[in-house]
Amino acid sequence: MRLMLNWILSAVAVWVVAQVVPGISVRGPVAALIAALVIGLVNATLGTLLKIITFPLTLLTLGLFWFVINALMLELASALVQGFQVHGFFAAFVGAIVLSLVNMVLKALLPAGDRDK
């Protein structure tokens, strides 16, 4: 149940980013759900590998390079999901920052028992 709730919250975050960031669009709730799933899978696999490989660069930039990696993951997800579009690296970069913030806020709204698990 917790996994489904996190998936839905991630889809809401994708929808919010599409409404706030120019250059990112999502066609509907199904596209937002699929985009959230693909973003999660891409970040869990390729994103983790890239974060490990680029760790020295991340240290030099005090963690800011992770936003570049997350922007690249957003662009990759937009290439894989029909109905989710990211137009340009700048939109992906801003979208990665906004997506991180919105996800953090939405997860903070969960009851304490759901966050700890």
Side-chain angles (χ1 to χ4, degrees):
M1 186 67 173
R2 181 177 59 87
L3 184 64
M4 186 178 293
L5 181 61
N6 281 330
W7 180 34
I8 292 170
L9 287 179
S10 294
V12 169
V14 167
W15 181 81
V16 168
V17 167
Q19 301 305 311
V20 172
V21 178
I24 297 180
S25 62
V26 66
R27 227 178 262 157
V30 173
L33 284 167
I34 294 171
L37 181 65
V38 170
I39 290 168
L41 290 174
V42 166
N43 272 332
T45 56
L46 188 58
T48 302
L49 179 67
L50 283 175
K51 287 177 182 177
I52 290 170
I53 292 171
T54 61
F55 187 70
L57 185 57
T58 302
L59 282 177
L60 287 175
T61 61
L62 302 175
L64 295 177
F65 192 71
W66 277 356
F67 288 119
V68 173
I69 293 172
N70 287 337
L72 292 173
M73 298 302 104
L74 269 181
E75 285 189 331
L76 178 61
S78 78
L80 296 173
V81 178
Q82 225 174 13
F84 176 62
Q85 296 178 342
V86 178
H87 302 286
F89 182 77
F90 183 73
F93 186 78
V94 173
I97 294 170
V98 173
L99 187 63
S100 297
L101 292 173
V102 171
N103 266 327
M104 185 174 57
V105 168
L106 288 176
K107 301 242 164 113
L109 294 175
L110 286 177
D114 288 340
R115 266 185 279 148
D116 295 337
K117 295 180 184 176

